[in-house]
Amino acid sequence: MSSNFFGPDFQALQGQDPEIAAILISELDRQRQNLQLIASENFTSSAVLAALGSTLSNKYAEGYPGKRYYGGCEEVDKAEVIGVARAKELFGAEHANLQPHSGASANVAVYQAFAKPGDTVLAMSLPHGGHLTHGSKVNFSGKWFNVESYGVRQADELIDYGELLETAKRVRPKMICSGATAYPRLIDFKRIREICDEVGAIMWVDAAHFIGLVAGKAIPSPVPYADVVSFTTHKVLRGPRGGMILSKAAHAAAIDKAIFPGMQGGPIMSAVAAKAVALKECQQSSYQAYAKQVIENAKALASALESEGMRAVSGGTDTHLALIDIRGTGMNGKVADERCGRSGITLNKNAIPFDPESPAVASGIRVGTPAVTTQGMGVEQMPIIGNLIARAIRDGEDEGKCAQIRSEVHALTAKFPVYPG
Ligand SMILES: *Cc1c(COP(=O)(O)O)cnc(C)c1O
């Protein structure tokens, strides 16, 4: 355990607030020792963490570069200008906004830019993998908008574009959202564009999960087709926790106004600078190799779990995540999640399409490979991980067996050190 990873300022924190300093150390240990298989998590670089932990955090910069409401923005302006230019270049986008505090905040801005309360929006159904901001009744989206949904076909668990078109013609949405939190397959953005054009809807892609794969040129990009693409910067993209929006030039003013003054005050300039750092990392060929490896690993992990008697929803994956129907093990998602947690394997329970269980119990788990791939694991490690997961689910009730699995997990992660030094 090396406390010097945090740099010289960490000593000041330790002196002043040992309670919080100890948590930073034990969380670093947790991240290093356990297997991190949450599909939406990653290990960001030390360079990104340095920008995040910088004095840019002190600066108020309401507005946009050159048009701020406060003085003293010359330096932070440069960081935002560089970040916006990098985003436009990396994604071939006409406009980029780096200020959203999170993926959910970016989505609030998209609704605000293109719809009025009460308007109809069409998005992926939550039980089939959509996000809370795609119309959940407990979320602003479901409270303030009339969100209709489309889903996957029962037969092959793929998006039913025919049903999507029929629903779009019936409900005439202002906007159609594609993108999800638990859909392992590629989305046909050309097809979605055609459907949007047929009904005169704005094409919104919530690319939070897979944008990093697009950045690494490992999967096709929605940017040429979409009016607007919102996403998080901390998932496969491996940047700081935060959000971003890309759009066509025609929508630039609407997006910028929706973020500020529409729904945010001052941007978190340390995070904006950290996004710029992450975007530069994404331009490197090593990142492109990483993005391809993430997908290879996810495919290998899905097939490893299949050989352990579980079923990959839709038969596999084209992305960084797999949704696994674990009913073959006799366990439900809730039990599997708890048992894996006790065994040092961090993943999440997840509903599968047409799940007979409630979302709190669920029949599946979701696994993702962004973090283990950043650690340097490859396809050779995936059968080992698949076996550890299967044993944790089967035997995780027994504390002795749990401890054995935990020690094997720690032996594996020790070979792939996170934040070494
Ligand atoms: C993760 C995610 C979000 C939300 O991101 P936060 O930063 O947690 O607010 C939104 N949409 C989708 C599809 C996501 O996967």
Side-chain angles (χ1 to χ4, degrees):
M1 179 186 66
S2 74
S3 52
N4 66 348
F5 165 72
F6 299 98
D9 294 348
F10 187 68
Q11 257 117 50
L13 178 63
Q14 265 178 322
Q16 193 190 310
D17 192 338
E19 213 178 347
I20 293 294
I23 295 169
L24 264 56
I25 293 185
S26 46
E27 171 59 12
L28 178 59
D29 284 343
R30 189 195 66 81
Q31 292 188 16
R32 283 172 166 165
Q33 287 175 4
N34 293 351
L35 268 171
Q36 309 298 340
L37 295 172
I38 297 201
S40 46
E41 291 183 356
N42 210 333
F43 301 117
T44 199
S45 71
S46 302
V48 167
L49 290 178
L52 261 185
S54 70
T55 55
L56 269 63
S57 173
N58 297 335
K59 189 69 200 97
Y60 242 113
E62 284 182 348
Y64 291 97
K67 297 169 291 215
R68 304 285 192 187
Y69 287 75
Y70 291 89
C73 289
E74 311 78 52
E75 300 306 321
V76 293
D77 272 10
K78 289 181 206 161
E80 187 164 349
V81 166
I82 290 170
V84 167
R86 285 179 185 165
K88 286 162 67 174
E89 194 196 330
L90 180 66
F91 296 108
E94 293 174 11
H95 178 66
N97 187 311
L98 270 57
Q99 294 192 4
H101 298 332
S102 68
S105 301
N107 290 353
V108 174
V110 170
Y111 280 92
Q112 196 183 190
F114 297 108
K116 292 194 183 59
D119 279 351
T120 297
V121 173
L122 179 56
M124 183 106 169
S125 118
L126 267 61
H128 290 195
H131 187 258
L132 274 174
T133 53
H134 301 171
S136 161
K137 287 293 165 212
V138 297
N139 183 262
F140 80 91
S141 54
K143 289 183 184 173
W144 299 346
F145 298 90
N146 172 41
V147 185
E148 302 277 350
S149 59
Y150 62 89
V152 300
R153 260 188 309 261
Q154 193 149 15
D156 55 11
E157 297 163 318
L158 300 177
I159 292 173
D160 187 341
Y161 296 95
E163 183 223 275
L164 171 46
L165 173 62
E166 289 316 307
T167 309
K169 282 180 174 165
R170 181 167 49 80
V171 305
R172 310 301 297 188
K174 264 269 167 60
M175 188 160 71
I176 297 177
C177 172
S178 49
T181 65
Y183 186 67
R185 295 302 189 169
L186 299 181
I187 296 170
D188 186 345
F189 296 115
K190 184 165 176 285
R191 188 83 194 272
I192 302 252
R193 177 78 256 174
E194 288 162 5
I195 295 171
C196 288
D197 287 343
E198 192 154 343
V199 300
I202 290 284
M203 177 173 169
W204 165 31
V205 178
D206 181 351
H209 257 275
F210 59 81
I211 194 70
L213 302 175
V214 174
K217 310 209 180 321
I219 64 169
S221 173
V223 172
Y225 300 104
D227 292 290
V228 59
V229 181
S230 62
F231 53 91
T232 54
T233 49
H234 50 270
K235 296 181 182 175
V236 190
L237 190 78
R238 212 158 64 179
R241 185 160 295 280
M244 204 183 292
I245 302 176
L246 306 174
S247 77
K248 296 285 187 242
H251 305 306
I255 290 295
D256 286 355
K257 274 190 226 151
I259 288 288
F260 176 83
M263 44 95 39
Q264 282 187 182
I268 303 169
M269 291 313 298
S270 48
V272 169
K275 288 169 195 173
V277 173
L279 290 166
K280 183 170 184 184
E281 292 175 0
C282 289
Q283 288 166 340
Q284 288 155 18
S285 60
S286 56
Y287 182 82
Q288 292 174 12
Y290 162 74
K292 288 190 182 68
Q293 190 64 50
V294 165
I295 299 175
E296 289 312 309
N297 285 353
K299 287 181 198 263
L301 182 55
S303 65
L305 290 166
E306 290 207 304
S307 50
E308 297 284 350
M310 298 173 231
R311 186 183 74 86
V313 167
S314 83
T317 179
D318 305 318
T319 64
H320 61 295
L321 70 85
L323 187 57
I324 308 292
D325 174 354
I326 61 162
R327 287 175 294 179
T329 64
M331 302 297 156
N332 62 46
K334 182 168 187 280
V335 170
D337 183 335
E338 283 162 8
R339 290 183 176 185
C340 287
R342 278 203 298 275
S343 308
I345 303 168
T346 310
L347 46 70
N348 61 281
K349 66 172 182 280
N350 212 107
I352 59 172
F354 309 98
D355 202 321
E357 300 284 357
S358 73
V361 175
S363 298
I365 55 172
R366 188 185 66 164
V367 290
T369 51
V372 292
T373 308
T374 294
Q375 272 176 282
M377 293 193 202
V379 287
E380 319 83 73
Q381 279 72 44
M382 298 304 125
I384 303 171
I385 295 179
N387 177 259
L388 289 165
I389 293 172
R391 284 162 54 208
I393 293 176
R394 274 198 311 266
D395 306 330
E397 193 57 10
D398 177 325
E399 182 43 42
K401 288 181 176 160
C402 234
Q404 171 61 30
I405 298 167
R406 228 171 19 241
S407 75
E408 290 177 40
V409 164
H410 293 170
L412 175 62
T413 54
K415 286 191 235 156
F416 298 92
V418 176
Y419 302 117

